[in-house]
Amino acid sequence: MNPASIDEVIEKLESILQWSKEHSSRVGYFASLYLRVTQTIKSKLGTGYFDDDKRLEELDIHFAARYFKVVEQFQNNDPAMPKAWAVAFNAISDHELIIVQHLLLGMNPHINIDLGAAAAEIAPGAAIHDLHDDFQKVNTILASIIPTVLKELSELSPLLYLLEDIAKKEEEAIINFSMKIARDFAWKLATELAPLTIQDQQVVIEQKNVDIAKVGEKIIDPGFLASSVLKVINSVEVKDVDQSIDTLNAGNELLELIEQEQGIILSPEALKNAPNQIYYFRIAKGEWTGNFNFKIKSWSKMLRASISIKNKILLTMMGLFQKIVGDAAIKSIITPLPNEGKAGVAKNDFRIHKGWFTLFISKEDYLLSPNGKGVIVDAHVRFGPFSFLFREHDVYPAVIYANGLKALYHIDLLGTQFVGDYTVRSDQKQVHSVLENDWAKAVEILNKQ
């Protein structure tokens, strides 16, 4: 049975991710990407972005239903799986493939065949031509998410940049090139299928599956030179399937907001009422104090994480210290400097302590973007009383939205990443934040003094 709404599509994708983690299955790689695309499409419904929201949601539902069917076939070992999808799912257990290859193997049949077939289903005959503009907008969303995904993959695959040697251009070129061909092919297939009966459509789809399966086989084995480079990339890539799924699925909203705001420059007058200036120059300025709690959610995952021994020792000490002595205290002083930088700067002197014992000190510069939402955080951090042993310099992005009452930070700290979700209370006197990754969680409650 097809999902009834885009919300049900999202729920089903989330259940596939949960199943993937329970079975440590690489099915979750493509499902994570697919969830991101679907969430982005949903965010644009009702905004005027699409010509026909109802028709677009129907396309999304039919498109997703084809993916859900092949996932069920894979889970049930059904030999009737379409040939192009069989190539992708047969490679799920291949630990010699890098994460990007698994993503491409899912994108290959789903865009090349399923997207065009779903379009022909919801817009048969001449109606297919009315769908063209919205179809292209979906393709634009698909292409725009790829750079963000690659940024995140660099944490899991430090040598991913070597794809440049294969593509002879930027590492995105391999995926974008495949995407362009797939997008063009999908629309051509949609217009070919739309006038046909369901039976004749199935004949064409089966024929196309043969060709698209060959594309999948080429992704798995791209030739001697490319395969040699891929082996080097794979040699240092994170092998923990759960960690890879979580990284691909973490911080979606933040990074998509960053992508959406790129290239936007507000006027000086508009900036005064922009979310980032409202937050740092009006709401957050001044002194804040409160409580801090940190805990390790999964010791086994933390110990398996691809971070240094020194950082694992420090995290262990922090987790045990907080478990024994309880919540620590926070003091934060934010100073606005609206005339510095491109759109203003704010400075934060931040300290976490338990009595006289210092746990964490950070001197932070918030560099506000002229797009009105973006922020670059430049943080000089010290841990504990022995700061000469534990210090680092981190730079990471954030987005302020909801009229300055919400903030998302993609925090680089201790060789790993946390997603920081900050919410300002309606009276603007308290900020509640949750900083979390797959194996650790910190909660802050700050009150305005």
Side-chain angles (χ1 to χ4, degrees), residues 390-408:
F390 299 107
R391 63 170 64 200
E392 60 185 55
H393 177 206
D394 303 308
V395 179
Y396 50 86
V399 170
I400 316 300
Y401 60 109
N403 202 32
L405 299 178
K406 291 279 292 180
L408 282 168

PDB file of all heavy atoms in Angstrom, residues 390-408:
ATOM      1  N   PHE A 390      45.023  20.031  26.829  1.00  0.00           N
ATOM      2  CA  PHE A 390      43.787  19.913  26.073  1.00  0.00           C
ATOM      3  C   PHE A 390      43.319  21.294  25.611  1.00  0.00           C
ATOM      4  O   PHE A 390      42.646  22.013  26.333  1.00  0.00           O
ATOM      5  CB  PHE A 390      42.698  19.254  26.928  1.00  0.00           C
ATOM      6  CG  PHE A 390      43.035  17.869  27.374  1.00  0.00           C
ATOM      7  CD1 PHE A 390      43.381  17.619  28.698  1.00  0.00           C
ATOM      8  CD2 PHE A 390      43.001  16.805  26.484  1.00  0.00           C
ATOM      9  CE1 PHE A 390      43.688  16.336  29.117  1.00  0.00           C
ATOM     10  CE2 PHE A 390      43.304  15.522  26.896  1.00  0.00           C
ATOM     11  CZ  PHE A 390      43.648  15.282  28.218  1.00  0.00           C
ATOM     12  N   ARG A 391      43.705  21.633  24.401  1.00  0.00           N
ATOM     13  CA  ARG A 391      43.234  22.882  23.805  1.00  0.00           C
ATOM     14  C   ARG A 391      43.084  22.662  22.311  1.00  0.00           C
ATOM     15  O   ARG A 391      43.757  21.819  21.710  1.00  0.00           O
ATOM     16  CB  ARG A 391      44.179  24.045  24.104  1.00  0.00           C
ATOM     17  CG  ARG A 391      45.579  23.893  23.532  1.00  0.00           C
ATOM     18  CD  ARG A 391      46.356  25.212  23.676  1.00  0.00           C
ATOM     19  NE  ARG A 391      46.561  25.545  25.075  1.00  0.00           N
ATOM     20  CZ  ARG A 391      46.842  26.767  25.500  1.00  0.00           C
ATOM     21  NH1 ARG A 391      46.928  27.760  24.642  1.00  0.00           N
ATOM     22  NH2 ARG A 391      47.053  26.994  26.782  1.00  0.00           N
ATOM     23  N   GLU A 392      42.188  23.430  21.702  1.00  0.00           N
ATOM     24  CA  GLU A 392      42.008  23.308  20.261  1.00  0.00           C
ATOM     25  C   GLU A 392      41.363  24.579  19.702  1.00  0.00           C
ATOM     26  O   GLU A 392      40.813  25.397  20.449  1.00  0.00           O
ATOM     27  CB  GLU A 392      41.154  22.081  19.914  1.00  0.00           C
ATOM     28  CG  GLU A 392      39.755  22.074  20.497  1.00  0.00           C
ATOM     29  CD  GLU A 392      39.026  20.773  20.205  1.00  0.00           C
ATOM     30  OE1 GLU A 392      39.568  19.707  20.537  1.00  0.00           O
ATOM     31  OE2 GLU A 392      37.899  20.813  19.653  1.00  0.00           O
ATOM     32  N   HIS A 393      41.466  24.707  18.397  1.00  0.00           N
ATOM     33  CA  HIS A 393      40.866  25.841  17.677  1.00  0.00           C
ATOM     34  C   HIS A 393      39.870  25.251  16.688  1.00  0.00           C
ATOM     35  O   HIS A 393      40.246  24.481  15.803  1.00  0.00           O
ATOM     36  CB  HIS A 393      41.956  26.637  16.958  1.00  0.00           C
ATOM     37  CG  HIS A 393      41.416  27.773  16.151  1.00  0.00           C
ATOM     38  ND1 HIS A 393      42.090  28.269  15.046  1.00  0.00           N
ATOM     39  CD2 HIS A 393      40.280  28.512  16.266  1.00  0.00           C
ATOM     40  CE1 HIS A 393      41.401  29.264  14.531  1.00  0.00           C
ATOM     41  NE2 HIS A 393      40.290  29.431  15.247  1.00  0.00           N
ATOM     42  N   ASP A 394      38.596  25.606  16.835  1.00  0.00           N
ATOM     43  CA  ASP A 394      37.542  25.046  15.995  1.00  0.00           C
ATOM     44  C   ASP A 394      36.806  26.149  15.259  1.00  0.00           C
ATOM     45  O   ASP A 394      36.540  27.221  15.818  1.00  0.00           O
ATOM     46  CB  ASP A 394      36.536  24.259  16.843  1.00  0.00           C
ATOM     47  CG  ASP A 394      37.196  23.151  17.635  1.00  0.00           C
ATOM     48  OD1 ASP A 394      37.918  22.352  17.022  1.00  0.00           O
ATOM     49  OD2 ASP A 394      37.002  23.095  18.867  1.00  0.00           O
ATOM     50  N   VAL A 395      36.465  25.881  14.010  1.00  0.00           N
ATOM     51  CA  VAL A 395      35.653  26.789  13.213  1.00  0.00           C
ATOM     52  C   VAL A 395      34.506  25.979  12.618  1.00  0.00           C
ATOM     53  O   VAL A 395      34.739  24.947  11.991  1.00  0.00           O
ATOM     54  CB  VAL A 395      36.470  27.447  12.089  1.00  0.00           C
ATOM     55  CG1 VAL A 395      35.588  28.376  11.253  1.00  0.00           C
ATOM     56  CG2 VAL A 395      37.656  28.221  12.663  1.00  0.00           C
ATOM     57  N   TYR A 396      33.275  26.453  12.826  1.00  0.00           N
ATOM     58  CA  TYR A 396      32.124  25.679  12.346  1.00  0.00           C
ATOM     59  C   TYR A 396      30.938  26.617  12.087  1.00  0.00           C
ATOM     60  O   TYR A 396      30.896  27.747  12.577  1.00  0.00           O
ATOM     61  CB  TYR A 396      31.741  24.591  13.357  1.00  0.00           C
ATOM     62  CG  TYR A 396      31.587  25.075  14.780  1.00  0.00           C
ATOM     63  CD1 TYR A 396      30.387  25.606  15.236  1.00  0.00           C
ATOM     64  CD2 TYR A 396      32.659  24.982  15.679  1.00  0.00           C
ATOM     65  CE1 TYR A 396      30.256  26.036  16.539  1.00  0.00           C
ATOM     66  CE2 TYR A 396      32.527  25.410  16.990  1.00  0.00           C
ATOM     67  CZ  TYR A 396      31.326  25.941  17.414  1.00  0.00           C
ATOM     68  OH  TYR A 396      31.188  26.371  18.713  1.00  0.00           O
ATOM     69  N   PRO A 397      29.943  26.135  11.315  1.00  0.00           N
ATOM     70  CA  PRO A 397      28.823  27.002  10.930  1.00  0.00           C
ATOM     71  C   PRO A 397      27.632  26.888  11.876  1.00  0.00           C
ATOM     72  O   PRO A 397      27.476  25.909  12.618  1.00  0.00           O
ATOM     73  CB  PRO A 397      28.445  26.465   9.548  1.00  0.00           C
ATOM     74  CG  PRO A 397      28.733  24.999   9.658  1.00  0.00           C
ATOM     75  CD  PRO A 397      29.956  24.880  10.540  1.00  0.00           C
ATOM     76  N   ALA A 398      26.778  27.896  11.813  1.00  0.00           N
ATOM     77  CA  ALA A 398      25.509  27.893  12.530  1.00  0.00           C
ATOM     78  C   ALA A 398      24.490  28.668  11.705  1.00  0.00           C
ATOM     79  O   ALA A 398      24.846  29.444  10.809  1.00  0.00           O
ATOM     80  CB  ALA A 398      25.661  28.531  13.912  1.00  0.00           C
ATOM     81  N   VAL A 399      23.230  28.438  12.007  1.00  0.00           N
ATOM     82  CA  VAL A 399      22.139  29.165  11.368  1.00  0.00           C
ATOM     83  C   VAL A 399      21.178  29.632  12.450  1.00  0.00           C
ATOM     84  O   VAL A 399      20.794  28.852  13.328  1.00  0.00           O
ATOM     85  CB  VAL A 399      21.392  28.292  10.343  1.00  0.00           C
ATOM     86  CG1 VAL A 399      20.112  28.984   9.881  1.00  0.00           C
ATOM     87  CG2 VAL A 399      22.268  28.004   9.149  1.00  0.00           C
ATOM     88  N   ILE A 400      20.783  30.901  12.399  1.00  0.00           N
ATOM     89  CA  ILE A 400      19.802  31.464  13.323  1.00  0.00           C
ATOM     90  C   ILE A 400      18.508  31.685  12.539  1.00  0.00           C
ATOM     91  O   ILE A 400      18.541  32.232  11.434  1.00  0.00           O
ATOM     92  CB  ILE A 400      20.277  32.812  13.907  1.00  0.00           C
ATOM     93  CG1 ILE A 400      21.759  32.727  14.330  1.00  0.00           C
ATOM     94  CG2 ILE A 400      19.391  33.224  15.071  1.00  0.00           C
ATOM     95  CD1 ILE A 400      22.063  31.692  15.386  1.00  0.00           C
ATOM     96  N   TYR A 401      17.404  31.272  13.098  1.00  0.00           N
ATOM     97  CA  TYR A 401      16.145  31.413  12.374  1.00  0.00           C
ATOM     98  C   TYR A 401      15.011  31.626  13.370  1.00  0.00           C
ATOM     99  O   TYR A 401      15.255  31.904  14.547  1.00  0.00           O
ATOM    100  CB  TYR A 401      15.903  30.199  11.470  1.00  0.00           C
ATOM    101  CG  TYR A 401      15.810  28.871  12.171  1.00  0.00           C
ATOM    102  CD1 TYR A 401      14.599  28.197  12.273  1.00  0.00           C
ATOM    103  CD2 TYR A 401      16.940  28.261  12.722  1.00  0.00           C
ATOM    104  CE1 TYR A 401      14.502  26.973  12.902  1.00  0.00           C
ATOM    105  CE2 TYR A 401      16.860  27.041  13.346  1.00  0.00           C
ATOM    106  CZ  TYR A 401      15.631  26.398  13.432  1.00  0.00           C
ATOM    107  OH  TYR A 401      15.553  25.184  14.066  1.00  0.00           O
ATOM    108  N   ALA A 402      13.748  31.518  12.883  1.00  0.00           N
ATOM    109  CA  ALA A 402      12.555  31.735  13.720  1.00  0.00           C
ATOM    110  C   ALA A 402      12.629  33.090  14.430  1.00  0.00           C
ATOM    111  O   ALA A 402      12.398  33.196  15.633  1.00  0.00           O
ATOM    112  CB  ALA A 402      12.388  30.601  14.721  1.00  0.00           C
ATOM    113  N   ASN A 403      12.990  34.123  13.653  1.00  0.00           N
ATOM    114  CA  ASN A 403      13.069  35.490  14.178  1.00  0.00           C
ATOM    115  C   ASN A 403      14.024  35.602  15.369  1.00  0.00           C
ATOM    116  O   ASN A 403      13.807  36.369  16.304  1.00  0.00           O
ATOM    117  CB  ASN A 403      11.671  35.999  14.576  1.00  0.00           C
ATOM    118  CG  ASN A 403      11.597  37.511  14.612  1.00  0.00           C
ATOM    119  OD1 ASN A 403      12.272  38.183  13.838  1.00  0.00           O
ATOM    120  ND2 ASN A 403      10.796  38.059  15.508  1.00  0.00           N
ATOM    121  N   GLY A 404      15.102  34.840  15.314  1.00  0.00           N
ATOM    122  CA  GLY A 404      16.125  34.915  16.347  1.00  0.00           C
ATOM    123  C   GLY A 404      15.868  34.047  17.560  1.00  0.00           C
ATOM    124  O   GLY A 404      16.653  34.072  18.511  1.00  0.00           O
ATOM    125  N   LEU A 405      14.818  33.243  17.534  1.00  0.00           N
ATOM    126  CA  LEU A 405      14.473  32.428  18.706  1.00  0.00           C
ATOM    127  C   LEU A 405      14.967  30.992  18.612  1.00  0.00           C
ATOM    128  O   LEU A 405      14.843  30.227  19.568  1.00  0.00           O
ATOM    129  CB  LEU A 405      12.952  32.434  18.923  1.00  0.00           C
ATOM    130  CG  LEU A 405      12.332  33.808  19.200  1.00  0.00           C
ATOM    131  CD1 LEU A 405      10.826  33.678  19.357  1.00  0.00           C
ATOM    132  CD2 LEU A 405      12.947  34.443  20.446  1.00  0.00           C
ATOM    133  N   LYS A 406      15.529  30.616  17.464  1.00  0.00           N
ATOM    134  CA  LYS A 406      16.062  29.263  17.295  1.00  0.00           C
ATOM    135  C   LYS A 406      17.434  29.346  16.649  1.00  0.00           C
ATOM    136  O   LYS A 406      17.686  30.205  15.795  1.00  0.00           O
ATOM    137  CB  LYS A 406      15.148  28.413  16.412  1.00  0.00           C
ATOM    138  CG  LYS A 406      13.821  28.051  17.041  1.00  0.00           C
ATOM    139  CD  LYS A 406      13.953  26.859  17.994  1.00  0.00           C
ATOM    140  CE  LYS A 406      14.262  25.571  17.253  1.00  0.00           C
ATOM    141  NZ  LYS A 406      14.380  24.423  18.180  1.00  0.00           N
ATOM    142  N   ALA A 407      18.331  28.430  17.042  1.00  0.00           N
ATOM    143  CA  ALA A 407      19.670  28.374  16.451  1.00  0.00           C
ATOM    144  C   ALA A 407      20.103  26.920  16.346  1.00  0.00           C
ATOM    145  O   ALA A 407      19.812  26.103  17.226  1.00  0.00           O
ATOM    146  CB  ALA A 407      20.668  29.159  17.308  1.00  0.00           C
ATOM    147  N   LEU A 408      20.782  26.625  15.252  1.00  0.00           N
ATOM    148  CA  LEU A 408      21.368  25.300  15.062  1.00  0.00           C
ATOM    149  C   LEU A 408      22.861  25.465  14.795  1.00  0.00           C
ATOM    150  O   LEU A 408      23.259  26.228  13.913  1.00  0.00           O
ATOM    151  CB  LEU A 408      20.713  24.583  13.878  1.00  0.00           C
ATOM    152  CG  LEU A 408      19.341  23.952  14.126  1.00  0.00           C
ATOM    153  CD1 LEU A 408      18.707  23.557  12.810  1.00  0.00           C
ATOM    154  CD2 LEU A 408      19.474  22.736  15.033  1.00  0.00           C
TER     155      LEU A 408
END
